[in-house]
């Protein structure tokens, strides 16, 4: 099972309001749980277990924690664009190209704001919100964690 398949499962869980998902194959096992934080629906993946992905890799358990907004961000009404995966953050498609998003850039739900490289795969990350970028929180080429805020957006 690769990262794209896992991301597709997570997207299906969100769209269909599924709270728990478990899949077991000969070479892999994955278990995803989704919870709510107060009255606002927020995705929290408590446990992700992948077994037998590769004979060279041992069994891995990844338990990311949900990153909540800071009180200052909540007071200003800014929204975080968070990393949907663990990987390396890149602001541009190549070293010679311009950045996808800068402070002041207007974005909508389909605007690509960065790339996260995970397992040698370049994953375009879309804003998923409409607004204006107010802060870039991660340096180019730095590692990011699941749920880590990448950008702050003032919705419009």
């Amino acid at each position: 099972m690769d990262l794209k398949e896992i991301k597709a499962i997570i997207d299906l869980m969100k769209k269909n309001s599924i709270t728990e998902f478990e899949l077991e194959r000969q070479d892999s096992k994955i278990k995803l749980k989704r919870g709510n934080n107060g009255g606002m629906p927020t995705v929290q993946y408590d446990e992700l277990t992948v077994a037998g992905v590769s004979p060279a890799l041992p069994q891995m358990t990844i338990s990311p924690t949900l990153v909540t907004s800071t009180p200052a961000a909540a007071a200003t009404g800014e929204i975080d664009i968070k990393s949907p995966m663990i990987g390396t953050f890149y602001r541009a498609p190549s070293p010679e190209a311009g950045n996808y998003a800068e402070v002041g850039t207007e974005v909508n739900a389909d605007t690509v704001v960065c790339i996260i490289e995970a397992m040698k795969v370049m994953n375009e990350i879309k804003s998923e919100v409409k607004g204006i970028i107010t802060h870039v929180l991660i340096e180019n080429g730095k590692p990011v964690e699941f749920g880590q805020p990448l950008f702050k957006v003032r919705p419009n």
Side-chain angles (χ1 to χ4, degrees):
M1 178 167 289
D2 66 12
L3 194 57
K4 284 186 180 183
E5 290 175 313
I6 295 169
K7 188 170 190 274
I9 292 168
I10 292 169
D11 289 340
L12 285 171
M13 286 178 69
K14 286 180 189 177
K15 289 178 185 171
N16 295 298
S17 300
I18 297 171
T19 57
E20 193 168 330
F21 177 86
E22 190 169 343
L23 174 67
E24 193 167 339
R25 293 183 181 168
Q26 284 182 332
D27 62 342
S28 65
K29 179 180 177 183
I30 184 169
K31 183 176 182 181
L32 301 171
K33 291 182 183 178
R34 217 182 107 141
N36 287 336
N37 187 7
M40 201 168 160
T42 311
V43 178
Q44 178 177 0
Y45 300 97
D46 299 319
E47 182 178 299
L48 171 64
T49 305
V50 182
V53 173
S54 166
L57 294 175
Q59 180 172 335
M60 301 182 327
T61 300
I62 305 167
S63 297
T65 57
L66 181 67
V67 178
T68 57
S69 299
T70 61
T76 62
E78 292 179 334
I79 298 170
D80 290 341
I81 298 175
K82 297 179 182 178
S83 176
M85 63 189 69
I86 296 171
T88 304
F89 173 83
Y90 294 108
R91 294 186 61 193
S94 71
E96 303 83 33
N99 293 334
Y100 284 113
E102 298 285 352
V103 172
T105 301
E106 190 168 333
V107 296
N108 62 43
D110 294 325
T111 304
V112 175
V113 291
C114 66
I115 290 178
I116 295 181
E117 178 186 6
M119 298 172 56
K120 305 288 182 198
V121 176
M122 299 297 184
N123 300 281
E124 290 184 338
I125 308 303
K126 294 183 179 178
S127 168
E128 297 184 2
V129 295
K130 184 177 180 182
I132 297 173
I133 302 281
T134 58
H135 294 87
V136 179
L137 303 171
I138 306 293
E139 269 185 64
N140 192 48
K142 297 293 182 182
V144 293
E145 296 291 327
F146 173 83
Q148 181 177 356
L150 307 172
F151 299 89
K152 288 201 178 290
V153 176
R154 183 178 64 241
N156 61 2

